[in-house]
Amino acid sequence: MNVEIKKAINREKWLEAMHARGDINDELRTKLDEAEKMLVREAAPKAVYRVMEINEVSTCGFSIKKHLEGCSRVAVMGLTLGMGIDNLLRRTQIRDMALTVMLDCGASVMVEQLCDEFEEKIKQETKEKYSTFRFSPGYGDYPLSDQGRIARYLDASRKIGLTVTGSSLMIPRKSVTALIGLADHPVKGRLATCGECVLKEKCTLRKEGKFCGD
């Protein structure tokens, strides 16, 4: 299904993604506004989901299994901004790397915002009263290799143009796959701990004394 872009890109999260500090001055505000127009013009967001029984979904890693504990079914989701964004970034990096970084960070925030909205839509449409938050491969010790499995569950290549390479990279780049646990009794899901995370030795947030669940 096509996804409508309803909200502006969150400036605070955009600046955080760019590791920018301080208030937005007029010059930066203008650049962000122009970058957002470019992203909105080139983006063609699409999303798909499928509800499956918990025993039908094969998962690897301790983190995702604990996250889905107590759930009877799973909503498998995928969302992509489309190849237009990839093409925009390729064109821009030839002439302006600073703008490319701004566009890349803005697109990352955009896709997460759209996933937030799509996640709420899924929860409203499923019959289960309770659900977890979405959990994506690459988070905690949930391996990126499961992105390909999720794409196959969704027939994502045919339905939304999302494919996964043999090295577990998604095409288009600005895409997300995730699982949402569903249950008829209260479940909250579970954030992965730093000790479980495959990026614990390289994590920039950890070096800053932060946690990705903050």
Side-chain angles (χ1 to χ4, degrees):
M1 61 171 286
N2 294 328
V3 177
E4 183 182 355
I5 301 173
K6 300 177 182 177
K7 297 180 181 178
I9 300 174
N10 184 294
R11 294 298 192 265
E12 183 178 346
K13 291 183 178 179
W14 195 346
L15 291 172
E16 184 178 334
M18 293 167 56
H19 300 287
R21 297 289 186 270
D23 296 330
I24 306 177
N25 57 37
D26 289 341
E27 181 182 3
L28 179 54
R29 184 177 291 106
T30 298
K31 288 181 178 179
L32 291 171
D33 290 344
E34 290 302 316
E36 181 168 28
K37 289 177 183 177
M38 296 170 70
L39 290 169
V40 172
R41 184 169 62 245
E42 299 295 335
K46 292 185 177 182
V48 61
Y49 80 93
R50 174 187 176 192
V51 175
M52 302 175 65
E53 299 298 320
I54 189 75
N55 58 7
E56 295 178 323
V57 180
S58 177
T59 55
C60 299
F62 177 80
S63 298
I64 185 63
K65 286 182 171 61
K66 293 299 291 184
H67 178 70
L68 296 176
E69 197 169 67
C71 297
S72 57
R73 298 204 300 169
V74 178
V76 185
M77 64 167 278
L79 187 147
T80 181
L81 294 186
M83 283 303 299
I85 297 297
D86 287 36
N87 294 335
L88 172 63
L89 294 173
R90 276 196 293 268
R91 293 195 306 269
T92 307
Q93 69 182 0
I94 297 172
R95 56 184 175 81
D96 191 334
M97 279 306 300
L99 176 58
T100 303
V101 171
M102 182 177 289
L103 290 168
D104 187 81
C105 292
S108 294
V109 177
M110 177 188 281
V111 75
E112 289 298 331
Q113 286 184 188
L114 292 176
C115 281
D116 289 343
E117 295 173 12
F118 191 58
E119 180 178 333
E120 288 307 309
K121 172 182 172 63
I122 292 170
K123 291 176 179 180
Q124 290 170 10
E125 292 181 352
T126 54
K127 69 178 184 180
E128 282 81 5
K129 184 177 179 180
Y130 301 97
S131 59
T132 70
F133 53 89
R134 67 179 180 274
F135 201 110
S136 292
Y139 177 59
D141 67 345
Y142 187 20
L144 282 173
S145 57
D146 262 26
Q147 289 181 154
R149 181 179 288 118
I150 292 175
R152 290 191 293 274
Y153 287 151
L154 295 170
D155 192 11
S157 178
R158 183 176 66 84
K159 291 183 177 178
I160 60 172
L162 168 59
T163 61
V164 180
T165 70
S167 54
S168 301
L169 297 177
M170 289 190 286
I171 302 175
R173 283 177 51 207
K174 298 302 179 181
S175 302
V176 172
T177 59
L179 303 182
I180 301 168
L182 305 172
D184 59 4
H185 59 275
V187 290
K188 294 182 178 180
R190 176 182 177 275
L191 291 170
T193 66
C194 291
E196 296 163 9
C197 185
V198 295
L199 297 176
K200 61 185 176 182
E201 302 302 329
K202 303 176 182 179
C203 181
T204 56
L205 285 174
R206 199 177 182 194
K207 291 177 181 177
E208 296 174 0
K210 298 179 182 177
F211 175 56
C212 60
D214 293 342

